[in-house]
Amino acid sequence: MDNLSATSALGGTRIEGVMAAISDRIAARSLMPGARLPSVRSFAKTMQVSVSTVVEAYERLAAEGVIRSRPGSGFYVCGPLPPLLLSEADASSDRNVDPLWISRQSLEVGDDVLKPGCGWLPPAWLPQAALRRALRTLARGDVGALANYGTPLGLPPLRQLLARRLGDHGITVPPDQILLTESGTQAIDLLCRFLLEPGDTVLVDDPCYFNFHALLRAHRANVVTVPFTPTGPDVALFGQALERHKPRLYITNSAIHNPTGAVLSPVTAHRLLKLADASDLIIIEDDIFADLEDVVAPRLAAYDGLDRVIHIGSFSKTLSASARCGFIAARRDWIDGLVDLKVASSFSCGQLSAELVYLALKDGSYRKHVEALRVRLAKTMSEVATRLEAIGIVPWLKPQAGMFLWCVLPGGVNAADVARACLAEGIVLAPGNVFSMAENAGSFMRFNVAQSTDVRIFAVLEASMRRLRQPPPGG
């Protein structure tokens, strides 16, 4: 009976079983391009399903471009087909360990691969019940939320809610100075388009979030790095970089720093703003980990009053990475220009995602979710740190909050070599130099503790490091 029984046994629907049966015939070349499919009635009899099941399966295959309908004639296989391959080699593991290496590996591999190097929480750690309630509310609500473009600034109730939330962090901003974006990444991209010309100099921390490197490269910026300390960037070297390179921007994480987990101190924050004011430097602070804090850390935007500091954030880390929604809080005159740029480049923002985020955030369970999440992360942080230390991997510092541990590997071990070795064993790691444009972090590794609970990770890590530390035969 083709593979309908197998599909049903694996939890698939009868419609999916019919689709799989047709797809398998096409892949095996028993149905070639241009071939007419069995009639709906005859194939329903063959598969022992209802006619309506086959009709829906055919319609879905047509929507996917696998087959096409000819009115009055039936359904036919589309073509041409891709080459028939006996095996498909995956060369992604041979890719250079560059700023996009972790993202590509983490996003492309299947669920069976362990991802202690990725930058997000496991789905089971996110508020799935609140998201499902929000989706049901949206499905029953006004069709405008499902079908219309949003306003240029973004959903007004969400911007009002964000203004109140930012106030809790000492940032006073009215809703009309908040611009919704499709993500935190799009927020930085818009700001780079708005503020930079090719060749402009931008300061970043060393180490810093690797996607800052990739975005700035795309905008053809000249990137200068400043060493990062447990209390923020090295202020003396920061001042020297301002004098020598005359940068246009400085991009950093506020509160919980990625990848180190460090927190900016009030003294460092005041000194940075004083230097920025004297040098006419604009600062973008990325605050996507805000809800993971136990104690509110200093925000440059709060001290500065959104004069030369631009504050951005999103909810991909604590709510859902699928609900793409971020924001920019900035001076009113900059917001006006950013709105024009946003309309020109993407016309609007994701109205559906904004509605979903708003409903989930105002759900009373979200506050309880983040409170429980902080406790769970703190417990897991301690457990993972203990396991890492047992195999000779030492945290650079013990973070106050968050999901990341920035760790030093044992002497003589290169993090990129360890990452390649572990990838062959089905484990994606985050080697230090993808976070360091100066390549000063070859012996460091970032671990996402929420993704590091499987004991296999530590066994494979230890074995890989042992092999890499052994001299070659005859050496």
Side-chain angles (χ1 to χ4, degrees):
M1 194 198 301
D2 283 83
N3 65 351
L4 180 57
S5 297
T7 301
S8 298
L10 292 172
T13 66
R14 291 182 177 274
I15 294 171
E16 290 167 345
V18 174
M19 293 172 68
I22 294 297
S23 297
D24 288 348
R25 290 187 182 190
I26 294 172
R29 269 40 179 188
S30 63
L31 284 172
M32 298 296 290
R36 185 176 184 274
L37 268 64
S39 71
V40 169
R41 292 188 180 278
S42 67
F43 203 56
K45 184 176 181 180
T46 299
M47 300 293 290
Q48 297 183 14
V49 297
S50 68
V51 169
S52 62
T53 295
V54 178
V55 169
E56 180 62 24
Y58 280 16
E59 290 294 342
R60 291 189 189 182
L61 288 168
E64 293 176 5
V66 176
I67 63 176
R68 67 179 182 274
S69 171
R70 293 180 186 173
S73 179
F75 289 88
Y76 293 80
V77 178
C78 294
L81 295 176
L84 179 62
L85 301 178
L86 297 178
S87 64
E88 187 170 304
D90 181 9
S92 63
S93 61
D94 295 328
R95 179 188 177 95
N96 288 334
V97 181
D98 61 18
L100 292 176
W101 189 86
I102 302 169
S103 297
R104 290 286 300 271
Q105 301 298 339
S106 298
L107 292 169
E108 290 176 356
V109 297
D111 292 337
D112 56 328
V113 174
L114 301 172
K115 304 173 186 177
C118 80
W120 52 87
L121 295 174
W125 288 49
L126 297 173
Q128 296 180 16
L131 288 168
R132 292 181 190 278
R133 282 194 296 272
L135 286 168
R136 288 194 293 269
T137 300
L138 277 174
R140 296 192 299 264
D142 184 358
V143 71
L146 302 176
N148 285 340
Y149 290 113
T151 62
L153 275 175
L155 186 68
L158 179 55
R159 289 188 288 108
Q160 292 167 4
L161 178 60
L162 289 173
R164 292 194 294 271
R165 287 169 56 89
L166 289 172
D168 293 338
H169 293 88
I171 302 171
T172 302
V173 56
D176 62 356
Q177 282 181 238
I178 298 175
L179 171 67
L180 298 188
T181 63
E182 293 186 359
S183 65
T185 299
Q186 193 204 28
I188 297 176
D189 184 50
L190 276 175
L191 289 165
C192 287
R193 294 187 193 204
F194 181 67
L195 295 168
L196 294 179
E197 296 290 341
D200 281 350
T201 297
V202 179
L203 292 185
V204 297
D205 303 320
D206 187 35
C208 75
Y209 174 43
F210 51 77
N211 214 37
F212 291 169
H213 301 166
L215 275 169
L216 292 171
R217 181 186 300 166
H219 286 282
R220 302 180 184 180
N222 173 42
V223 182
V224 174
T225 63
V226 177
F228 201 78
T229 79
T231 59
D234 185 303
V235 175
L237 294 177
F238 192 93
Q240 292 176 20
L242 292 179
E243 291 182 9
R244 181 178 302 173
H245 300 286
K246 311 297 182 187
R248 171 72 167 156
L249 287 179
Y250 168 51
I251 303 180
T252 188
N253 290 121
S254 59
I256 303 170
H257 183 259
N258 182 8
T260 67
V263 173
L264 184 69
S265 74
V267 172
T268 301
H270 281 293
R271 290 176 178 172
L272 286 180
L273 288 173
K274 188 174 180 180
L275 288 169
D277 190 55
S279 302
D280 198 26
L281 177 73
I282 299 170
I283 299 175
I284 299 173
E285 63 173 355
D286 182 0
D287 197 17
I288 61 172
F289 300 107
D291 283 347
L292 300 182
E293 284 183 305
D294 288 308
V295 179
V296 176
R299 268 30 177 213
L300 293 169
Y303 292 155
D304 171 75
L306 289 178
D307 180 22
R308 63 179 57 260
V309 177
I310 301 170
H311 192 83
I312 70 172
S314 78
F315 302 94
S316 61
K317 306 304 180 185
T318 54
L319 184 60
S320 169
S322 293
R324 306 302 290 160
C325 184
F327 65 89
I328 299 171
R331 282 170 24 184
R332 194 180 305 276
D333 56 326
W334 286 350
I335 288 291
D336 288 341
L338 286 165
V339 167
D340 289 344
L341 181 58
K342 177 184 161 187
V343 170
S345 59
S346 61
F347 199 75
S348 181
C349 67
Q351 175 81 352
L352 189 59
S353 287
E355 294 272 8
L356 178 63
V357 168
Y358 172 66
L359 289 172
L361 289 180
K362 75 171 188 174
D363 187 313
S365 67
Y366 180 76
R367 178 181 55 81
K368 296 177 182 177
H369 157 68
V370 293
E371 289 174 353
L373 180 60
R374 293 169 195 152
V375 173
R376 187 176 187 182
L377 280 171
K379 181 176 182 292
T380 308
M381 181 84 70
S382 177
E383 293 170 349
V384 171
T386 299
R387 286 178 172 174
L388 289 171
E389 288 171 342
I391 59 174
I393 299 175
V394 181
W396 182 65
L397 57 75
K398 297 294 178 69
Q400 298 177 18
M403 67 177 79
F404 298 133
L405 276 174
W406 181 240
C407 297
V408 185
L409 302 184
V413 177
N414 181 274
D417 292 338
V418 175
R420 291 191 184 95
C422 289
L423 183 61
E425 302 289 334
I427 297 174
V428 177
L429 294 172
N433 271 345
V434 304
F435 302 92
S436 172
M437 290 199 70
E439 298 191 346
N440 290 325
S443 61
F444 283 80
M445 191 83 76
R446 188 195 73 180
F447 291 90
N448 178 344
V449 299
Q451 299 277 5
S452 301
T453 58
D454 194 306
V455 294
R456 289 175 292 171
I457 294 169
F458 307 97
V460 172
L461 261 173
E462 185 175 23
S464 298
M465 291 190 300
R466 187 186 307 116
R467 288 195 304 271
L468 291 168
R469 295 179 75 178
Q470 290 176 347

